[in-house]
C-alpha cells in the first residue's frame, strides 16, 4: 500500500532533504504543502497545494512532515491531526515533556500542552515501542541524536563514573542553523573561523538528559560551529568507575546495537569522521579508553540533515506506516 506524505517547510535545508529522500521512496508520494500567504510559483516537479485540513482530506494525505519553526508547528499541528493526518514535527515544539520545561529552554510559552503530553519522541533506537501507534512524533534534535546514541548504552551498562560527569564537545556544520540568513552564519563570518555558541544553555541539552537519564549537573555540553556545510561530530569525555579498555566498551555497544541498521561501530583504536556519514542516515561510533587512568572517549558522527533531521523523520514515518524501517534510506 502506498501513501501520500505532505511536506511543510520544503524550502528549508531539512525540508529539501526530506523531498530528496522521499523522491526515491518506493511507497510514498510527496506533496509540497505551502503555509505562507505568498503562495510561491517556484518551479517544482512535485505537486504543491496549500497546507490546510481541506488539502489533507482532498489529497488523502496520510502523514505530514513539519520542517518549520516551533511556533509554526504548534500552530499547524492541531488542525492537521484533526483532519486525519499523522504528524512528524522536525522542530523542538513537541520534544520536551512539560510546558514548564519548554518555557525554560525555549524562552516562550507552549501553546499546545495537550499535544506536548501526547507526542512520542522519535529516536527509534531507544523509543521504538511508541512510534508505530503515535499520531504525533517529535523528531529529535541533531545534537541529541548523536549524543544519546553515544552515551546511553554506557549509562545503561553502568560504566560511567557519574560523579566525574560527562563532557560533550559538539561541532556542527552551518546548515544546522537553518536557511534563514543571519550575520552569524554568513560566508565571511564562518569561513576560516571556529566558534562556540549557546554555552551552558543550549536548548538541545534537555533532550539529552531526558533520554540518557543524566542529571543536568552531570552533563556539560558545548556546541561549536564548523566552517563546513553539514555534519556533526561529538567527542564525549568520561571516566569509568573500574579499569576498562576500548574492547570492553566496544562490547557494550555491540550488544546494545545488534540488529540496528543505522548504527555502525568502529573497531578498537579507530574513530569516525564526517566524511563517513555525509548524505547517509548512519550514526558512526568509535570509542577508546585508558585503563590505567579510567579516562575514556567516545566519538559519534552523523549528517545533521539526515540522521539528525530528515532521514530520521523518514525512519519514523516507516515505523508509523508499517514499512521496513530502512525503506528509502539505504
Amino acid at each position: 500500500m502506498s501513501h501520500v506524505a505532505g511536506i511543510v517547510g520544503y524550502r528549508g535545508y531539512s525540508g529539501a532533504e526530506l523531498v530528496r529522500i522521499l523522491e526515491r521512496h518506493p511507497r510514498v508520494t510527496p506533496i509540497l504543502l505551502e503555509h505562507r500567504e505568498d503562495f510561491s510559483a517556484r518551479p517544482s516537479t512535485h505537486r504543491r497545494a496549500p497546507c490546510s485540513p481541506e488539502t489533507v482530506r482532498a489529497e488523502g494525505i496520510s502523514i505530514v512532515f513539519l520542517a518549520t519553526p516551533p511556533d509554526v508547528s504548534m500552530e499547524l499541528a492541531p488542525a492537521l491531526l484533526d483532519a486525519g493526518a499523522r504528524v512528524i514535527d522536525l522542530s523542538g515544539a513537541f520534544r520536551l515533556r512539560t510546558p514548564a520545561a519548554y518555557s525554560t529552554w525555549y524562552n516562550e510559552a507552549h501553546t499546545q500542552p495537550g499535544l506536548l503530553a501526547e507526542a512520542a519522541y522519535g529516536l527509534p533506537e531507544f523509543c521504538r515501542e511508541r512510534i508505530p501507534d503515535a499520531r504525533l512524533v517529535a523528531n529529535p534534535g541533531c545534537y541529541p541524536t548523536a549524543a544519546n546514541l553515544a552515551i546511553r548504552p554506557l549509562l545503561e551498562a553502568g560504566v560511567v563514573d557519574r560523579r566525574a560527569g560527562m563532557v560533550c564537545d559538539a561541532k556542527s556544520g552551518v546548515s544546522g542553523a537553518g536557511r534563514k540568513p543571519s550575520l552569524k552564519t554568513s560566508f565571511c563570518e564562518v569561513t576560516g573561523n571556529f566558534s562556540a555558541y549557546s554555552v551552558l544553555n543550549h536548548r538541545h541539552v534537555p533532550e539529552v538528559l531526558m533520554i540518557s537519564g543524566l542529571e543536568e549537573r552531570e552533563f556539560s555540553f558545548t556546541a561549536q560551529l564548523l566552517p563546513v556545510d553539514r555534519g556533526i561530530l561529538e567527542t564525549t569525555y568520561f571516566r569509568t568507575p573500574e579499569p576498562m579498555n576500548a574492547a570492553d566498551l566496544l562490547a557494550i555497544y555491540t550488544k546494545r546495537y545488534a540488529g540496528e541498521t543505522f548504527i555502525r561501530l568502529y573497531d578498537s583504536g579507530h574513530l569516525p569522521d564526517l566524511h563517513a556519514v555525509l548524505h547517509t542516515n548512519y550514526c558512526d561510533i568509535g570509542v577508546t579508553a585508558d585503563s590505567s587512568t579510567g579516562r575514556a572517549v567516545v566519538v559519534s558522527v552523523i549528517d545533521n540533515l539526515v540522521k539528525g533531521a530528515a532521514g530520521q523523520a523518514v525512519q519514523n514515518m516507516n515505523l508509523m506506516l508499517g514499512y521496513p524501517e530502512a525503506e528509502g534510506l539505504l
Side-chain angles (χ1 to χ4, degrees), residues 233-292:
L233 186 149
E234 296 187 4
T235 307
T236 301
Y237 307 87
F238 63 101
R239 291 183 180 273
T240 59
E242 303 292 339
M244 300 186 74
N245 57 35
D248 296 328
L249 296 173
L250 183 60
I252 293 169
Y253 287 107
T254 300
K255 181 179 180 180
R256 180 61 181 81
Y257 288 133
E260 291 290 354
T261 301
F262 295 112
I263 305 296
R264 298 189 300 196
L265 304 176
Y266 281 51
D267 292 338
S268 298
H270 297 272
L271 299 174
D273 61 24
L274 291 183
H275 283 175
V277 298
L278 295 184
H279 305 281
T280 79
N281 197 53
Y282 291 111
C283 176
D284 286 6
I285 296 172
V287 63
T288 188
D290 180 354
S291 59
S292 65

Short mmCIF file of all heavy atoms in Angstrom, two decimals, residues 233-292:
data_model
loop_
_atom_site.label_atom_id
_atom_site.label_comp_id
_atom_site.label_asym_id
_atom_site.label_seq_id
_atom_site.Cartn_x
_atom_site.Cartn_y
_atom_site.Cartn_z
N LEU A 233 30.01 16.19 14.56
CA LEU A 233 30.95 15.31 15.25
C LEU A 233 30.95 15.68 16.72
O LEU A 233 31.17 16.84 17.06
CB LEU A 233 32.35 15.41 14.66
CG LEU A 233 33.39 14.42 15.21
CD1 LEU A 233 34.43 14.07 14.12
CD2 LEU A 233 34.11 14.94 16.44
N GLU A 234 30.66 14.68 17.58
CA GLU A 234 30.64 14.92 19.01
C GLU A 234 31.68 14.04 19.69
O GLU A 234 31.72 12.82 19.47
CB GLU A 234 29.25 14.64 19.58
CG GLU A 234 28.20 15.58 19.02
CD GLU A 234 26.85 15.46 19.68
OE1 GLU A 234 26.70 14.68 20.64
OE2 GLU A 234 25.92 16.16 19.24
N THR A 235 32.50 14.66 20.51
CA THR A 235 33.51 13.96 21.30
C THR A 235 33.09 14.05 22.76
O THR A 235 33.02 15.15 23.32
CB THR A 235 34.90 14.58 21.11
OG1 THR A 235 35.19 14.67 19.71
CG2 THR A 235 35.96 13.75 21.80
N THR A 236 32.78 12.91 23.37
CA THR A 236 32.29 12.90 24.74
C THR A 236 33.33 12.23 25.64
O THR A 236 33.77 11.11 25.38
CB THR A 236 30.95 12.16 24.84
OG1 THR A 236 30.00 12.80 24.00
CG2 THR A 236 30.44 12.18 26.28
N TYR A 237 33.71 12.95 26.69
CA TYR A 237 34.74 12.51 27.63
C TYR A 237 34.08 12.04 28.92
O TYR A 237 33.16 12.69 29.43
CB TYR A 237 35.69 13.66 27.95
CG TYR A 237 36.29 14.33 26.72
CD1 TYR A 237 35.61 15.37 26.08
CD2 TYR A 237 37.52 13.92 26.22
CE1 TYR A 237 36.16 15.98 24.96
CE2 TYR A 237 38.07 14.53 25.10
CZ TYR A 237 37.38 15.56 24.48
OH TYR A 237 37.92 16.15 23.36
N PHE A 238 34.55 10.93 29.47
CA PHE A 238 34.02 10.43 30.73
C PHE A 238 35.06 9.56 31.42
O PHE A 238 36.13 9.27 30.87
CB PHE A 238 32.72 9.63 30.50
CG PHE A 238 32.88 8.39 29.67
CD1 PHE A 238 32.94 7.13 30.26
CD2 PHE A 238 32.95 8.46 28.28
CE1 PHE A 238 33.08 5.98 29.50
CE2 PHE A 238 33.08 7.31 27.51
CZ PHE A 238 33.15 6.07 28.13
N ARG A 239 34.74 9.15 32.64
CA ARG A 239 35.62 8.23 33.39
C ARG A 239 34.85 6.98 33.74
O ARG A 239 33.64 7.04 34.01
CB ARG A 239 36.17 8.91 34.64
CG ARG A 239 37.17 10.01 34.33
CD ARG A 239 37.77 10.62 35.59
NE ARG A 239 38.73 11.67 35.27
CZ ARG A 239 40.02 11.47 35.02
NH1 ARG A 239 40.51 10.23 35.08
NH2 ARG A 239 40.82 12.47 34.73
N THR A 240 35.54 5.87 33.76
CA THR A 240 34.92 4.60 34.14
C THR A 240 35.20 4.33 35.62
O THR A 240 36.29 4.65 36.12
CB THR A 240 35.47 3.44 33.30
OG1 THR A 240 36.89 3.35 33.47
CG2 THR A 240 35.17 3.67 31.82
N PRO A 241 34.24 3.75 36.33
CA PRO A 241 34.46 3.51 37.77
C PRO A 241 35.49 2.40 38.04
O PRO A 241 36.12 2.38 39.09
CB PRO A 241 33.08 3.10 38.27
CG PRO A 241 32.36 2.62 37.06
CD PRO A 241 32.89 3.41 35.91
N GLU A 242 35.64 1.50 37.07
CA GLU A 242 36.62 0.42 37.17
C GLU A 242 37.47 0.44 35.90
O GLU A 242 37.03 0.94 34.86
CB GLU A 242 35.92 -0.94 37.31
CG GLU A 242 34.98 -1.05 38.49
CD GLU A 242 35.72 -1.02 39.83
OE1 GLU A 242 36.94 -1.31 39.84
OE2 GLU A 242 35.08 -0.69 40.85
N PRO A 243 38.70 -0.10 35.96
CA PRO A 243 39.55 -0.11 34.75
C PRO A 243 38.86 -0.83 33.59
O PRO A 243 38.37 -1.96 33.75
CB PRO A 243 40.80 -0.85 35.22
CG PRO A 243 40.84 -0.67 36.69
CD PRO A 243 39.41 -0.66 37.13
N MET A 244 38.82 -0.19 32.44
CA MET A 244 38.24 -0.77 31.23
C MET A 244 39.07 -0.34 30.04
O MET A 244 39.60 0.77 30.01
CB MET A 244 36.79 -0.33 31.04
CG MET A 244 35.84 -0.70 32.16
SD MET A 244 34.12 -0.29 31.80
CE MET A 244 33.71 -1.56 30.60
N ASN A 245 39.15 -1.20 29.04
CA ASN A 245 39.83 -0.81 27.81
C ASN A 245 38.80 -0.62 26.70
O ASN A 245 37.58 -0.82 26.91
CB ASN A 245 40.89 -1.85 27.42
CG ASN A 245 40.31 -3.25 27.26
OD1 ASN A 245 39.18 -3.41 26.80
ND2 ASN A 245 41.09 -4.26 27.61
N ALA A 246 39.27 -0.23 25.53
CA ALA A 246 38.35 0.06 24.43
C ALA A 246 37.54 -1.15 24.03
O ALA A 246 36.35 -1.04 23.70
CB ALA A 246 39.14 0.59 23.24
N ALA A 247 38.15 -2.32 24.07
CA ALA A 247 37.43 -3.54 23.69
C ALA A 247 36.27 -3.81 24.64
O ALA A 247 35.19 -4.26 24.23
CB ALA A 247 38.40 -4.73 23.67
N ASP A 248 36.46 -3.53 25.93
CA ASP A 248 35.39 -3.71 26.91
C ASP A 248 34.19 -2.81 26.58
O ASP A 248 33.04 -3.24 26.62
CB ASP A 248 35.89 -3.38 28.32
CG ASP A 248 36.99 -4.31 28.80
OD1 ASP A 248 36.98 -5.50 28.42
OD2 ASP A 248 37.86 -3.84 29.56
N LEU A 249 34.48 -1.56 26.27
CA LEU A 249 33.41 -0.61 25.96
C LEU A 249 32.75 -0.93 24.62
O LEU A 249 31.52 -0.83 24.46
CB LEU A 249 33.97 0.81 25.94
CG LEU A 249 34.51 1.31 27.29
CD1 LEU A 249 35.19 2.67 27.13
CD2 LEU A 249 33.40 1.40 28.33
N LEU A 250 33.56 -1.32 23.65
CA LEU A 250 33.02 -1.68 22.34
C LEU A 250 32.04 -2.85 22.46
O LEU A 250 31.02 -2.90 21.76
CB LEU A 250 34.15 -2.02 21.38
CG LEU A 250 33.75 -2.35 19.94
CD1 LEU A 250 33.03 -1.18 19.30
CD2 LEU A 250 34.98 -2.75 19.13
N ALA A 251 32.34 -3.79 23.35
CA ALA A 251 31.45 -4.94 23.54
C ALA A 251 30.07 -4.50 24.02
O ALA A 251 29.05 -5.10 23.66
CB ALA A 251 32.07 -5.92 24.54
N ILE A 252 30.02 -3.43 24.81
CA ILE A 252 28.74 -2.90 25.28
C ILE A 252 27.92 -2.37 24.11
O ILE A 252 26.72 -2.66 23.98
CB ILE A 252 28.98 -1.80 26.33
CG1 ILE A 252 29.58 -2.40 27.60
CG2 ILE A 252 27.69 -1.03 26.63
CD1 ILE A 252 30.10 -1.38 28.57
N TYR A 253 28.57 -1.61 23.25
CA TYR A 253 27.87 -1.08 22.07
C TYR A 253 27.43 -2.20 21.13
O TYR A 253 26.33 -2.16 20.57
CB TYR A 253 28.78 -0.11 21.32
CG TYR A 253 28.97 1.22 22.00
CD1 TYR A 253 30.17 1.55 22.61
CD2 TYR A 253 27.95 2.17 22.02
CE1 TYR A 253 30.37 2.78 23.22
CE2 TYR A 253 28.13 3.40 22.63
CZ TYR A 253 29.34 3.69 23.23
OH TYR A 253 29.51 4.91 23.83
N THR A 254 28.29 -3.16 20.94
CA THR A 254 27.99 -4.26 20.03
C THR A 254 26.73 -5.00 20.48
O THR A 254 25.86 -5.34 19.67
CB THR A 254 29.17 -5.23 19.94
OG1 THR A 254 30.32 -4.52 19.45
CG2 THR A 254 28.87 -6.38 18.99
N LYS A 255 26.63 -5.26 21.77
CA LYS A 255 25.45 -5.94 22.30
C LYS A 255 24.21 -5.06 22.19
O LYS A 255 23.14 -5.52 21.77
CB LYS A 255 25.71 -6.34 23.74
CG LYS A 255 24.54 -7.09 24.38
CD LYS A 255 24.87 -7.48 25.82
CE LYS A 255 23.69 -8.22 26.46
NZ LYS A 255 24.00 -8.60 27.87
N ARG A 256 24.34 -3.80 22.56
CA ARG A 256 23.17 -2.90 22.57
C ARG A 256 22.64 -2.62 21.18
O ARG A 256 21.42 -2.51 20.97
CB ARG A 256 23.54 -1.57 23.25
CG ARG A 256 22.38 -0.57 23.32
CD ARG A 256 21.23 -1.14 24.10
NE ARG A 256 20.08 -0.25 24.18
CZ ARG A 256 19.16 -0.10 23.22
NH1 ARG A 256 19.27 -0.78 22.08
NH2 ARG A 256 18.13 0.71 23.40
N TYR A 257 23.51 -2.52 20.19
CA TYR A 257 23.07 -2.14 18.86
C TYR A 257 23.02 -3.31 17.87
O TYR A 257 22.96 -3.09 16.66
CB TYR A 257 23.98 -1.03 18.32
CG TYR A 257 23.74 0.31 19.02
CD1 TYR A 257 24.81 1.07 19.48
CD2 TYR A 257 22.45 0.79 19.21
CE1 TYR A 257 24.59 2.29 20.11
CE2 TYR A 257 22.23 2.00 19.83
CZ TYR A 257 23.30 2.75 20.28
OH TYR A 257 23.06 3.95 20.91
N ALA A 258 23.02 -4.52 18.37
CA ALA A 258 22.87 -5.68 17.49
C ALA A 258 21.56 -5.56 16.72
O ALA A 258 20.49 -5.36 17.30
CB ALA A 258 22.90 -6.96 18.31
N GLY A 259 21.64 -5.63 15.40
CA GLY A 259 20.44 -5.55 14.58
C GLY A 259 19.99 -4.15 14.23
O GLY A 259 18.99 -3.99 13.51
N GLU A 260 20.68 -3.12 14.71
CA GLU A 260 20.31 -1.73 14.39
C GLU A 260 20.97 -1.32 13.08
O GLU A 260 22.19 -1.17 12.99
CB GLU A 260 20.73 -0.78 15.51
CG GLU A 260 19.94 -0.94 16.80
CD GLU A 260 18.49 -0.47 16.66
OE1 GLU A 260 18.13 0.09 15.60
OE2 GLU A 260 17.73 -0.67 17.62
N THR A 261 20.16 -1.12 12.06
CA THR A 261 20.65 -0.87 10.71
C THR A 261 21.52 0.38 10.61
O THR A 261 22.51 0.40 9.89
CB THR A 261 19.47 -0.73 9.74
OG1 THR A 261 18.70 -1.92 9.78
CG2 THR A 261 19.95 -0.47 8.31
N PHE A 262 21.15 1.42 11.35
CA PHE A 262 21.78 2.71 11.12
C PHE A 262 22.87 3.06 12.14
O PHE A 262 23.31 4.20 12.20
CB PHE A 262 20.72 3.80 11.08
CG PHE A 262 19.78 3.64 9.91
CD1 PHE A 262 18.45 3.31 10.11
CD2 PHE A 262 20.25 3.78 8.62
CE1 PHE A 262 17.60 3.15 9.03
CE2 PHE A 262 19.41 3.61 7.54
CZ PHE A 262 18.07 3.29 7.73
N ILE A 263 23.31 2.09 12.91
CA ILE A 263 24.43 2.30 13.82
C ILE A 263 25.62 1.50 13.30
O ILE A 263 25.52 0.28 13.10
CB ILE A 263 24.12 1.84 15.25
CG1 ILE A 263 22.85 2.54 15.77
CG2 ILE A 263 25.30 2.13 16.17
CD1 ILE A 263 22.95 4.03 15.91
N ARG A 264 26.75 2.17 13.08
CA ARG A 264 27.97 1.49 12.65
C ARG A 264 29.05 1.73 13.70
O ARG A 264 29.32 2.87 14.07
CB ARG A 264 28.43 2.01 11.28
CG ARG A 264 27.41 1.77 10.18
CD ARG A 264 27.94 2.07 8.79
NE ARG A 264 28.37 3.46 8.63
CZ ARG A 264 28.57 4.05 7.45
NH1 ARG A 264 28.39 3.37 6.33
NH2 ARG A 264 28.96 5.31 7.39
N LEU A 265 29.62 0.64 14.17
CA LEU A 265 30.64 0.70 15.21
C LEU A 265 32.02 0.49 14.62
O LEU A 265 32.20 -0.35 13.72
CB LEU A 265 30.36 -0.36 16.27
CG LEU A 265 28.98 -0.30 16.93
CD1 LEU A 265 28.80 -1.47 17.88
CD2 LEU A 265 28.78 1.03 17.66
N TYR A 266 33.00 1.24 15.14
CA TYR A 266 34.37 1.15 14.65
C TYR A 266 35.19 0.25 15.56
O TYR A 266 34.98 0.21 16.77
CB TYR A 266 34.99 2.55 14.58
CG TYR A 266 34.55 3.34 13.38
CD1 TYR A 266 33.19 3.48 13.07
CD2 TYR A 266 35.47 3.96 12.55
CE1 TYR A 266 32.78 4.20 11.96
CE2 TYR A 266 35.06 4.69 11.44
CZ TYR A 266 33.70 4.81 11.15
OH TYR A 266 33.30 5.52 10.05
N ASP A 267 36.11 -0.47 14.97
CA ASP A 267 37.00 -1.33 15.74
C ASP A 267 37.81 -0.51 16.74
O ASP A 267 38.03 0.70 16.55
CB ASP A 267 37.96 -2.08 14.82
CG ASP A 267 37.24 -3.11 13.95
OD1 ASP A 267 36.12 -3.51 14.33
OD2 ASP A 267 37.79 -3.49 12.90
N SER A 268 38.27 -1.17 17.79
CA SER A 268 39.10 -0.51 18.79
C SER A 268 40.28 0.19 18.13
O SER A 268 40.94 -0.36 17.25
CB SER A 268 39.63 -1.53 19.81
OG SER A 268 38.56 -2.14 20.49
N GLY A 269 40.52 1.42 18.56
CA GLY A 269 41.63 2.19 18.00
C GLY A 269 41.27 3.00 16.78
O GLY A 269 42.11 3.74 16.26
N HIS A 270 40.03 2.90 16.32
CA HIS A 270 39.59 3.65 15.13
C HIS A 270 38.42 4.55 15.50
O HIS A 270 37.53 4.15 16.25
CB HIS A 270 39.20 2.70 14.01
CG HIS A 270 40.31 1.84 13.52
ND1 HIS A 270 41.17 2.23 12.52
CD2 HIS A 270 40.72 0.61 13.92
CE1 HIS A 270 42.06 1.28 12.29
NE2 HIS A 270 41.82 0.29 13.15
N LEU A 271 38.42 5.77 14.97
CA LEU A 271 37.38 6.74 15.27
C LEU A 271 36.79 7.28 13.97
O LEU A 271 37.50 7.46 12.98
CB LEU A 271 37.94 7.89 16.10
CG LEU A 271 38.51 7.52 17.48
CD1 LEU A 271 39.17 8.72 18.13
CD2 LEU A 271 37.43 6.94 18.39
N PRO A 272 35.50 7.57 13.95
CA PRO A 272 34.84 8.04 12.72
C PRO A 272 35.10 9.52 12.45
O PRO A 272 35.48 10.28 13.34
CB PRO A 272 33.37 7.80 13.00
CG PRO A 272 33.25 7.94 14.49
CD PRO A 272 34.54 7.39 15.05
N ASP A 273 34.87 9.92 11.20
CA ASP A 273 34.93 11.33 10.84
C ASP A 273 33.70 11.69 10.01
O ASP A 273 32.88 10.82 9.67
CB ASP A 273 36.23 11.67 10.11
CG ASP A 273 36.41 10.90 8.81
OD1 ASP A 273 35.40 10.45 8.22
OD2 ASP A 273 37.56 10.75 8.36
N LEU A 274 33.55 12.96 9.68
CA LEU A 274 32.35 13.42 8.99
C LEU A 274 32.17 12.79 7.62
O LEU A 274 31.05 12.47 7.22
CB LEU A 274 32.38 14.95 8.85
CG LEU A 274 32.22 15.77 10.12
CD1 LEU A 274 32.18 17.26 9.79
CD2 LEU A 274 30.96 15.38 10.90
N HIS A 275 33.25 12.64 6.88
CA HIS A 275 33.13 12.14 5.51
C HIS A 275 32.45 10.77 5.46
O HIS A 275 31.81 10.43 4.46
CB HIS A 275 34.50 12.05 4.86
CG HIS A 275 35.04 13.37 4.42
ND1 HIS A 275 36.31 13.54 3.90
CD2 HIS A 275 34.47 14.62 4.42
CE1 HIS A 275 36.50 14.81 3.61
NE2 HIS A 275 35.40 15.48 3.92
N ALA A 276 32.55 10.00 6.53
CA ALA A 276 31.99 8.65 6.53
C ALA A 276 30.46 8.64 6.53
O ALA A 276 29.85 7.66 6.11
CB ALA A 276 32.51 7.88 7.73
N VAL A 277 29.83 9.72 7.00
CA VAL A 277 28.38 9.69 7.18
C VAL A 277 27.62 10.71 6.34
O VAL A 277 26.37 10.69 6.33
CB VAL A 277 28.01 9.92 8.66
CG1 VAL A 277 28.57 8.82 9.54
CG2 VAL A 277 28.48 11.29 9.15
N LEU A 278 28.29 11.60 5.64
CA LEU A 278 27.58 12.64 4.90
C LEU A 278 26.62 12.05 3.88
O LEU A 278 26.94 11.08 3.19
CB LEU A 278 28.58 13.57 4.21
CG LEU A 278 29.48 14.39 5.14
CD1 LEU A 278 30.35 15.33 4.34
CD2 LEU A 278 28.66 15.15 6.18
N HIS A 279 25.41 12.61 3.84
CA HIS A 279 24.34 12.18 2.93
C HIS A 279 23.84 10.77 3.24
O HIS A 279 23.27 10.11 2.37
CB HIS A 279 24.79 12.28 1.47
CG HIS A 279 25.28 13.64 1.09
ND1 HIS A 279 24.42 14.70 0.82
CD2 HIS A 279 26.53 14.15 0.96
CE1 HIS A 279 25.12 15.78 0.52
NE2 HIS A 279 26.40 15.48 0.61
N THR A 280 24.04 10.30 4.47
CA THR A 280 23.53 8.99 4.88
C THR A 280 22.74 9.14 6.18
O THR A 280 22.83 10.16 6.87
CB THR A 280 24.65 7.97 5.14
OG1 THR A 280 25.24 8.20 6.42
CG2 THR A 280 25.73 8.05 4.07
N ASN A 281 22.01 8.09 6.54
CA ASN A 281 21.25 8.07 7.78
C ASN A 281 21.99 7.32 8.89
O ASN A 281 21.40 6.94 9.89
CB ASN A 281 19.88 7.43 7.55
CG ASN A 281 18.89 7.74 8.67
OD1 ASN A 281 18.67 8.92 9.00
ND2 ASN A 281 18.31 6.71 9.25
N TYR A 282 23.29 7.11 8.71
CA TYR A 282 24.07 6.37 9.71
C TYR A 282 24.53 7.28 10.85
O TYR A 282 24.78 8.47 10.66
CB TYR A 282 25.29 5.74 9.07
CG TYR A 282 24.97 4.62 8.12
CD1 TYR A 282 25.19 4.75 6.75
CD2 TYR A 282 24.46 3.41 8.59
CE1 TYR A 282 24.89 3.72 5.88
CE2 TYR A 282 24.16 2.37 7.71
CZ TYR A 282 24.38 2.53 6.36
OH TYR A 282 24.08 1.51 5.50
N CYS A 283 24.68 6.66 12.02
CA CYS A 283 25.45 7.23 13.12
C CYS A 283 26.64 6.32 13.32
O CYS A 283 26.47 5.13 13.62
CB CYS A 283 24.63 7.32 14.40
SG CYS A 283 25.59 7.92 15.83
N ASP A 284 27.84 6.84 13.14
CA ASP A 284 29.06 6.07 13.33
C ASP A 284 29.65 6.38 14.70
O ASP A 284 29.70 7.55 15.12
CB ASP A 284 30.09 6.41 12.25
CG ASP A 284 29.73 5.81 10.89
OD1 ASP A 284 28.63 5.23 10.77
OD2 ASP A 284 30.55 5.91 9.96
N ILE A 285 30.09 5.34 15.39
CA ILE A 285 30.57 5.48 16.77
C ILE A 285 31.89 4.76 16.94
O ILE A 285 32.06 3.62 16.50
CB ILE A 285 29.55 4.89 17.77
CG1 ILE A 285 28.23 5.67 17.71
CG2 ILE A 285 30.10 4.90 19.20
CD1 ILE A 285 27.10 5.05 18.52
N GLY A 286 32.84 5.46 17.56
CA GLY A 286 34.12 4.86 17.92
C GLY A 286 34.45 5.22 19.36
O GLY A 286 34.09 6.30 19.84
N VAL A 287 35.13 4.31 20.06
CA VAL A 287 35.41 4.54 21.47
C VAL A 287 36.84 4.12 21.79
O VAL A 287 37.38 3.19 21.18
CB VAL A 287 34.40 3.77 22.37
CG1 VAL A 287 34.53 2.27 22.16
CG2 VAL A 287 34.54 4.15 23.83
N THR A 288 37.44 4.83 22.71
CA THR A 288 38.78 4.48 23.17
C THR A 288 38.87 4.73 24.67
O THR A 288 38.06 5.49 25.23
CB THR A 288 39.86 5.28 22.42
OG1 THR A 288 41.15 4.77 22.75
CG2 THR A 288 39.79 6.75 22.75
N ALA A 289 39.82 4.07 25.33
CA ALA A 289 39.91 4.19 26.79
C ALA A 289 41.34 3.94 27.24
O ALA A 289 42.11 3.25 26.58
CB ALA A 289 38.96 3.19 27.46
N ASP A 290 41.66 4.51 28.39
CA ASP A 290 42.95 4.29 29.05
C ASP A 290 42.66 3.62 30.39
O ASP A 290 42.22 4.26 31.34
CB ASP A 290 43.66 5.63 29.25
CG ASP A 290 45.02 5.49 29.93
OD1 ASP A 290 45.36 4.36 30.34
OD2 ASP A 290 45.72 6.50 30.08
N SER A 291 42.87 2.32 30.46
CA SER A 291 42.50 1.57 31.66
C SER A 291 43.33 1.97 32.88
O SER A 291 42.89 1.79 34.02
CB SER A 291 42.65 0.06 31.40
OG SER A 291 43.98 -0.26 31.03
N SER A 292 44.51 2.54 32.66
CA SER A 292 45.36 2.90 33.80
C SER A 292 44.86 4.14 34.53
O SER A 292 45.15 4.32 35.72
CB SER A 292 46.80 3.13 33.33
OG SER A 292 46.88 4.25 32.47
#
